[in-house]
Amino acid sequence: MDRNELGKRLRGAFVALITPFDAQDDVDHVALGHNTRWMLAHGLDGILLLGSTGEQVHLSEFERAVVLEVGRQHIPADRVMIAGAGLAGTRQTIAETKQAALAGADVALVVTPSYYQKAMNAANLINHYRAVADASPIPIMLYSVPPIINVTLPAEAVAALVGHPNIIGMKNSGSDPQMAGLYREATAAHDFIILGGSAHAAPGFLLTGLVDGVILAAANVLPEAAASLVQAARAGDVL
């Protein structure tokens, strides 16, 4: 999928898919395939595999590879496959984006590192994301999820990264409208996609133009609602 087409398709509704396990505590291939097909049949534009809801941080390297391989088998080429690829260090994250590319992912979603929280200032985050974007074979999206990891991606870092040719956008899973506004202001002059990750904040963010689409955990049970939410926002339907 070329970048222009990818950019168009990312402005939609996505599910942060769970990772199912069987009774033997292995990734359930059948259930993963079924869930993926079911989500796409209910109007979603694509799937995020190995996001926060997919428990990427709890899976082994082998399990992460299995999830991506099985997922791609059930995600057709005209739907977007996003792979959670952010790990604790820059080298590991680069390796993970390369694995995601080999598995057929269209985009790598890279969460802010968080183990050394006091060191996660704008300068260090900019250096991390630039290194990952320089080395990744596929476009990356920045990922700020402060409710889970207690690190907020600073707007100044987004402003510094927005012009990188291999950074296509970001996922903002925060619910602070002021921060969402700063992200939009920092990226307004660029073709940069912002997706909302908070189900609570998503309706307001969509209607006010602070996000272009959504990636929601809630879509695991309400995929049609997530798709309808984006469609309604596009139509300006607030009822």
Side-chain angles (χ1 to χ4, degrees), residues 132-148:
V132 174
D134 286 345
S136 175
I138 54 178
I140 73 165
M141 296 187 79
L142 317 176
Y143 182 19
S144 182
V145 55
I148 294 178

Side-chain angles (χ1 to χ4, degrees), residues 2-181:
D2 66 49
R3 187 184 174 95
N4 289 336
E5 182 65 20
L6 179 60
K8 292 177 184 176
R9 294 188 178 277
L10 279 171
R11 292 175 167 86
F14 299 83
V15 60
L17 196 68
I18 63 168
T19 301
F21 280 76
D22 60 24
Q24 286 72 48
D25 205 26
D26 295 320
V27 174
D28 190 328
H29 296 212
V30 174
L32 179 58
H34 174 271
N35 290 350
T36 300
R37 294 191 305 273
W38 185 78
M39 296 294 172
L40 296 176
H42 285 77
L44 296 177
D45 297 287
I47 304 284
L48 165 61
L49 298 167
L50 302 177
S52 299
T53 314
E55 299 184 85
Q56 182 236 29
V57 295
H58 296 142
L59 304 186
S60 69
E61 182 179 356
F62 174 77
E63 289 169 334
R64 296 195 302 270
V66 167
V67 169
L68 295 181
E69 181 180 351
V70 173
R72 184 77 271 184
Q73 291 172 4
H74 298 279
I75 300 172
D78 65 344
R79 305 291 183 97
V80 180
M81 175 173 149
I82 306 172
L87 294 176
T90 304
R91 288 183 302 167
Q92 297 96 323
T93 300
I94 289 171
E96 200 77 353
T97 66
K98 291 179 178 179
Q99 286 300 115
L102 286 173
D106 299 297
V107 182
L109 182 68
V110 181
V111 71
T112 50
S114 61
Y115 188 84
Y116 298 103
Q117 290 185 3
K118 292 182 179 180
M120 292 303 104
N121 55 37
N124 287 334
L125 289 168
I126 289 167
N127 289 337
H128 171 74
Y129 278 114
R130 279 180 176 159
V132 174
D134 286 345
S136 175
I138 54 178
I140 73 165
M141 296 187 79
L142 317 176
Y143 182 19
S144 182
V145 55
I148 294 178
I149 63 175
N150 202 34
V151 172
T152 299
L153 185 62
E156 62 183 290
V158 177
L161 294 165
V162 65
H164 194 291
N166 206 32
I167 300 178
I168 198 168
M170 72 175 292
K171 180 186 180 188
N172 172 23
S173 286
S175 58
D176 180 355
Q178 182 177 7
M179 182 57 69

Side-chain angles (χ1 to χ4, degrees), residues 188-210:
H190 298 264
D191 184 16
F192 189 86
I193 297 135
I194 303 179
L195 301 178
S198 165
H200 171 73
F205 284 6
L206 281 165
L207 287 170
T208 55
L210 294 178

